[in-house]
Amino acid sequence: MIAVVSSCVAPSSLPSHDGARTTLTPEVRLQHTRSTVDSLLALGVKEIFIADNSAGSWLLDRAAELAPAKVIPFAQPPIRNKGIGEMWLLLGVLPHLPENEPILKISGRYRVGPATELKLRDQDDVAGKVYLHGRVRSLSTRCYLVRNRAVATRLWERTLDEMYAESARIHGPRSLLRILKSSFRPQRDTLRYGDPTAAVETAIYNAIRYLPLRLHEVAHLDVEGIMGSWINEVVKE
């Protein structure tokens, strides 16, 4: 098994669309990412790839502190929807991955423990934790397991498609009216199609359904970490 860490150890110092990007210093975020690597090594992961979109060269100058993980840098434009940014990171790292190894995807600065239930049975393509919100299902994207690179490619491409397509689909009378108006009067269409608000957790669950892929639902991820937001909330799953 290998692991892919979607990461932003050193966010830009410039404010994002909604204000400061984080209240945590790059030094603290690097320590958290080191903990991610250590937890993966303890789990027996063979290789660790950190797909990171940090600003400038701050992380590259300190990449040795995350060894034996391989830091693969990516430059991205500012994106409000962090799920979109993450999916582009995952697609970008695919050429670096071996073909026939299970892939544990984990978000940067989270730790996975030995009690995780993420396992693939013989016919499974994906293992992960599913949430139900009313009639909407979603998959936790903090940590999940994929059969191999081919399955990951299909899953991540379709997830990104679902996120971009969400605003172009009819969900009820209001979305129908908006689509009709924007079709007949495109000059008045102000929707940000390139940076949609669709949730990556819902999109990836729908991608699994539509492809379709065989999903092994688990109850306990044994994952813990601090959300990369202003409130620095500790999350356990």
Side-chain angles (χ1 to χ4, degrees):
M1 180 171 66
I2 65 171
V4 172
V5 182
S6 58
S7 168
C8 185
V9 172
S12 170
S13 59
L14 298 174
S16 68
H17 303 83
D18 305 306
R21 297 173 189 271
T22 181
T23 60
L24 301 175
T25 66
E27 290 80 6
V28 170
R29 296 172 70 91
L30 181 61
Q31 292 173 7
H32 291 170
T33 308
R34 179 67 246 180
S35 296
T36 302
V37 172
D38 290 340
S39 73
L40 293 169
L41 292 173
L43 203 63
V45 172
K46 295 179 182 178
E47 288 187 277
I48 303 169
F49 301 83
I50 300 178
D52 186 272
N53 61 1
S54 293
S57 62
W58 192 93
L59 178 60
L60 287 179
D61 296 339
R62 298 161 176 81
E65 297 183 36
L66 297 176
K70 302 173 184 177
V71 177
I72 303 172
F74 293 91
Q76 288 184 336
I79 303 173
R80 172 175 271 165
N81 189 329
K82 293 181 179 180
I84 291 283
E86 177 177 82
M87 295 316 303
W88 281 117
L89 282 177
L90 296 177
L91 289 172
V93 81
L94 281 169
H96 300 271
L97 307 182
E99 290 186 12
N100 297 312
E101 288 284 347
I103 301 169
L104 183 74
K105 182 273 169 188
I106 186 168
S107 296
R109 302 186 306 104
Y110 286 88
R111 302 178 302 279
V112 58
T116 182
E117 296 176 357
L118 288 174
K119 300 288 189 299
L120 291 170
R121 302 166 301 190
D122 287 344
Q123 302 302 317
D124 292 331
D125 296 305
V126 183
K129 184 172 183 176
V130 174
Y131 289 93
L132 180 62
H133 311 277
R135 297 171 60 185
V136 178
R137 290 180 178 268
S138 62
L139 182 83
S140 172
T141 56
R142 291 189 181 94
C143 193
Y144 55 89
L145 187 60
V146 184
R147 167 69 58 189
N148 53 35
R149 191 177 73 181
V151 173
T153 301
R154 295 175 62 208
L155 175 61
W156 294 339
E157 286 180 346
R158 184 58 185 265
T159 299
L160 197 59
D161 287 344
E162 289 298 313
M163 295 184 76
Y164 283 123
E166 194 267 346
S167 58
R169 289 177 176 158
I170 298 171
H171 305 282
R174 296 198 333 193
S175 58
L176 172 60
L177 181 60
R178 177 185 57 76
I179 290 172
L180 289 173
K181 285 182 177 180
S182 61
S183 298
F184 288 110
R185 295 182 178 180
Q187 68 276 16
R188 297 186 180 183
D189 188 1
T190 60
L191 195 65
R192 290 291 307 278
Y193 293 95
D195 195 356
T197 59
V200 65
E201 295 85 0
T202 303
I204 196 170
Y205 180 82
N206 289 337
I208 292 169
R209 287 179 53 214
Y210 299 156
L211 280 170
L213 298 173
R214 188 182 293 271
L215 173 64
H216 177 207
E217 297 186 21
V218 304
H220 185 53
L221 297 177
D222 197 17
V223 166
E224 181 177 349
I226 299 176
M227 291 181 62
S229 62
W230 307 283
I231 58 176
N232 299 328
E233 180 183 358
V234 175
V235 175
K236 297 180 180 181
E237 286 188 284

